[in-house]
Amino acid sequence: MSAALPKIRIRGLCKSFGEKRVLDGIDLDVEAGTSTVVIGGSGSGKSVLLRCILGLIQPDAGTIEIDGVDVLRQPRREQERQREKIGMLFQNAALFDSLLVWENVAFGLLARSGRGGPRIRRSDARERAGEVLAQVGLDPSVGDLAPSELSGGMQKRVGLARAIAARPEILFFDEPTTGLDPIMGAVIDGLIVECVRGLGSTAIAITHDMPSARRIGDRAAMLYRGQLVWQGPAASLLDSGNAMVDQFTHGRREGPIGMELRR
Amino acid sequence: MNALTRPARLVEAIGRGVLDTVRAAGRLALFALAGLSHLLRPPFYWRNFVSAFGEFAFFSLPVVALTAVFSGMVIALQSFTGFSRFNAQSAVADIVVLSVVRELGPVLAGLMVAGRVGAAMAAEIGTMRVTDQIDALGTLSTNPMKYLVTPRLLAGALALPLLVVVADILGVLGGFVVSVVKLGFAPEAYVMNTLAFVQPMDVIVGLAKAAVFGFLIALMGCYNGYNSKGGAEGVGGSTTASVVAASILILCFDYVLTEMFFSR
């Protein structure tokens, strides 16, 4: 029975900002240990979906279950406990400028130290940060640099290291390859796949980079005007048989997806 | 028809403005309460507190010191010019110490620090907001209010009084130097006059004002930064708003506190 329970189950998720309905009844299951890629145009609600699951945005309606527990109906403390299972790589890495790289990587470990997580000294956290930096292909000496001294690709790696440092059960990736050259994009994708498999985590990535989507994802879903219009294997993204997905993945101007103009 | 609708529109606009102001004041009050409530619940981020305290107390010292010295000097000159018309030059020491300790020390230090630390605070937190760093804190088991706001509010309330102690001493010293060197006062008499005239209550209320001003500076910096929107322009806007709002609040609260403690 419990084997069939998805790691993340979303039902009827809705969110509006003023008149604009950004999420309009999203239903999505993400099985444990799999990666799901959500594709869609800019402003289609991909980031809002992730932020709702993370608790950064309160949805208007619907349920979000993690391990069968509806996090939206839980007391605040329980919600925070559920969400501690999640690690997140932000679009621009979102590293803390005022901290050194190793402090960024070890931030979650130190924050949880003695508060639900194992008690950890700063020296041990420093050591663990070095290990995780090595895991994402960076020399541990990078830990002593400031984030502003790193290139975009290195910042993404550090962001990934920060996301996986506490060995989360769930990983979210928000546009992981945006702003990177194709080779660096492939390197980051490779690291993401390695980390997800290495940790046995469940992952959701949002992107509109098709090669990246196919490299990262086991499953894929397309979000359009607040609704999931297609779900299927990531490998079939380029020949899904769905007119919207085909137009999007092949970058065609003609098709059912019209360019939205702001009135 | 138009003649009738125009006043109605005016009333509507005024009403909307009043409602918006009340709403904004309510949001600010809730933000302040949320920030303060974390003082009672662990963990407390001492590193952030020490860093903010240093920004307030140590790095603002030069600008506050200069402002205080020159203000004391100017008051001595101006009050001498005024009182010499009534042969009351001996009151110069009293006026210098009273204006510096009760008013100029806390108010000028507050305004200077609002421009220096309040603006920097709003810019830093605003940049963190628009670059997702505040959201990232939330995903790393850290409450952003507890991490960013609470230590700064406490640092502001505790550091500004220390700064004002220095400003008071230097302001009185500035008045003393001008009075003795330029206006020909006897140093001993000036010091005796100063010590005889100033009351402990003057100093205490000046420091209490400073604590309130420090809290307000931190609050406006944090509040505007935390609610920044729209990239670099939004951060610039919230930085300006934090300095303007803190300066206005300092002057308003200065009147209210003076009325509370010194009016008879």
Side-chain angles (χ1 to χ4, degrees):
Chain A
M1 181 76 184
S2 63
L5 193 71
K7 186 76 178 172
I8 301 170
R9 171 183 290 200
I10 298 169
R11 289 289 177 272
L13 196 69
C14 296
K15 178 69 190 173
S16 300
F17 294 104
E19 296 288 299
K20 188 168 168 58
R21 204 167 176 101
V22 180
L23 299 179
D24 188 8
I26 299 288
D27 293 339
L28 179 69
D29 286 347
V30 183
E31 302 300 330
T34 65
S35 296
T36 296
V37 178
V38 180
I39 61 169
S42 303
S44 59
K46 305 187 297 292
S47 291
V48 175
L49 173 62
L50 277 197
R51 279 159 200 266
C52 283
I53 305 173
L54 277 167
L56 300 174
I57 293 177
Q58 189 67 25
D60 300 330
T63 59
I64 299 171
E65 291 177 15
I66 296 177
D67 290 327
V69 177
D70 182 358
V71 286
L72 299 175
R73 308 287 179 276
Q74 295 295 306
R76 195 181 178 85
R77 180 118 343 150
E78 184 59 25
Q79 283 189 24
E80 285 171 7
R81 226 171 53 79
Q82 284 291 329
R83 283 169 176 139
E84 282 182 1
K85 296 176 178 175
I86 305 174
M88 166 99 178
L89 170 59
F90 285 82
Q91 184 173 348
N92 53 10
L95 301 179
F96 306 126
D97 311 317
S98 55
L99 302 180
L100 297 174
V101 164
W102 81 262
E103 291 173 315
N104 267 279
V105 174
F107 195 96
L109 295 173
L110 291 168
R112 282 169 206 164
S113 171
R115 289 192 295 134
R119 195 166 282 281
I120 186 166
R121 285 180 304 186
R122 275 180 75 81
S123 55
D124 295 336
R126 169 79 181 85
E127 204 171 304
R128 168 76 183 137
E131 288 167 18
V132 186
L133 284 170
Q135 215 174 322
V136 297
L138 291 173
D139 191 277
S141 65
V142 170
D144 294 321
L145 300 176
S148 58
E149 295 175 82
L150 307 180
S151 67
M154 286 170 89
Q155 288 190 5
K156 277 273 163 72
R157 289 181 191 222
V158 174
L160 179 59
R162 186 174 70 180
I164 64 170
R167 301 189 176 94
E169 295 173 30
I170 299 168
L171 277 162
F172 288 169
F173 305 101
D174 185 355
E175 308 277 8
T177 55
T178 297
L180 302 179
D181 65 70
I183 297 172
M184 184 52 74
V187 169
I188 294 291
D189 287 341
L191 285 170
I192 286 173
V193 172
E194 269 176 36
C195 291
V196 170
R197 288 196 185 140
L199 293 169
S201 304
T202 306
I204 300 181
I206 59 175
T207 184
H208 40 220
D209 175 355
M210 285 312 110
S212 172
R214 294 174 69 213
R215 281 191 293 255
I216 296 175
D218 301 312
R219 303 268 308 160
M222 176 154 170
L223 196 58
Y224 178 64
R225 291 195 171 161
Q227 296 184 324
L228 285 179
V229 293
W230 175 85
Q231 295 188 49
S236 66
L237 267 172
L238 293 179
D239 53 356
S240 66
N242 179 296
M244 284 188 190
V245 177
D246 286 349
Q247 182 192 352
F248 187 80
T249 53
H250 292 96
R252 295 189 194 115
R253 289 174 63 188
E254 309 299 327
I257 302 175
M259 177 65 78
E260 283 190 33
L261 296 174
R262 190 168 182 147
R263 277 171 291 170
Chain B
M1 181 77 180
N2 269 347
L4 283 175
T5 55
R6 202 169 290 164
R9 271 194 216 133
L10 183 68
V11 171
E12 188 191 355
I14 293 171
R16 192 178 298 128
V18 170
L19 282 178
D20 286 348
T21 308
V22 170
R23 217 173 281 139
R27 272 198 296 265
L28 179 63
L30 287 176
F31 185 87
L33 283 176
L36 288 175
S37 72
H38 286 292
L39 278 173
L40 309 172
R41 289 175 285 167
F44 183 75
Y45 293 97
W46 286 103
R47 282 167 180 270
N48 295 6
F49 168 76
V50 171
S51 163
F53 193 89
E55 276 299 320
F56 265 102
F58 184 73
F59 293 108
S60 303
L61 200 53
V63 68
V64 169
L66 276 174
T67 310
V69 168
F70 283 109
S71 300
M73 291 165 80
V74 167
I75 294 166
L77 275 181
Q78 292 282 27
S79 53
F80 182 81
T81 310
F83 286 127
S84 59
R85 291 179 194 162
F86 313 104
N87 284 329
Q89 296 93 325
S90 59
V92 167
D94 311 342
I95 292 299
V96 168
V97 72
L98 211 61
S99 15
V100 167
V101 170
R102 280 187 177 189
E103 291 300 325
L104 293 178
V107 171
L108 290 180
L111 293 176
M112 289 295 136
V113 172
R116 216 193 79 82
V117 183
M121 221 174 250
E124 183 185 352
I125 296 177
T127 305
M128 289 184 75
R129 165 62 71 198
V130 300
T131 56
D132 290 335
Q133 291 179 52
I134 292 183
D135 285 345
L137 281 173
T139 67
L140 293 164
S141 313
T142 302
N143 184 312
M145 286 292 287
K146 197 186 274 289
Y147 185 79
L148 294 173
V149 178
T150 305
R152 285 171 166 86
L153 292 181
L154 188 64
L158 295 182
L160 207 64
L162 284 184
L163 213 50
V164 167
V165 168
V166 179
D168 286 351
I169 294 167
L170 291 176
V172 171
L173 187 69
F176 170 81
V177 169
V178 167
S179 301
V180 171
V181 175
K182 188 166 168 61
L183 306 175
F185 280 74
E188 301 81 9
Y190 188 96
V191 171
M192 292 304 286
N193 253 358
T194 300
L195 292 178
F197 199 76
V198 70
Q199 299 294 313
M201 193 60 179
D202 297 328
V203 180
I204 291 167
V205 172
L207 297 182
K209 280 183 177 181
V212 172
F213 298 165
F215 176 80
L216 290 172
I217 293 164
L219 177 63
M220 296 318 296
C222 292
Y223 178 75
N224 285 290
Y226 205 86
N227 292 295
S228 285
K229 282 178 188 145
E233 192 182 353
V235 175
S238 52
T239 304
T240 308
S242 81
V243 177
V244 172
S247 304
I248 291 171
L249 283 176
I250 284 171
L251 297 173
C252 292
F253 272 77
D254 183 45
Y255 176 78
V256 172
L257 294 171
T258 305
E259 180 77 32
M260 270 171 63
F261 290 107
F262 294 122
S263 72
R264 300 207 174 143

